[in-house]
Amino acid sequence: MCLPYIDVLFGIEPYHLWKDEQDHQTGDVKDGVPFQPDFKQQDEVFHHPM
């Protein structure tokens, strides 16, 4: 892997991760997640199917 040779790495997260793509009224997966989430909260968001 080339990560040892990288000084700066930028990424972007999707603005919305809808709980139900067909019905946006159900809310966003990140609803209720604090600004600095713990590992469990991050893991739930990262593993949500898009």
Side-chain angles (χ1 to χ4, degrees), residues 1-2 7 9 13 16 20 22 24-28 31 35-36 41 46:
M1 207 167 183
C2 62
D7 292 326
L9 178 66
E13 68 172 298
H16 290 291
D20 181 353
Q22 304 305 317
H24 294 177
Q25 298 296 323
T26 58
D28 190 288
D31 288 347
F35 185 67
Q36 294 191 357
Q41 293 163 325
F46 292 152

Side-chain angles (χ1 to χ4, degrees), residues 5-19:
Y5 305 104
I6 296 175
D7 292 326
V8 178
L9 178 66
F10 291 95
I12 187 167
E13 68 172 298
Y15 186 72
H16 290 291
L17 292 173
W18 300 114
K19 291 178 182 175

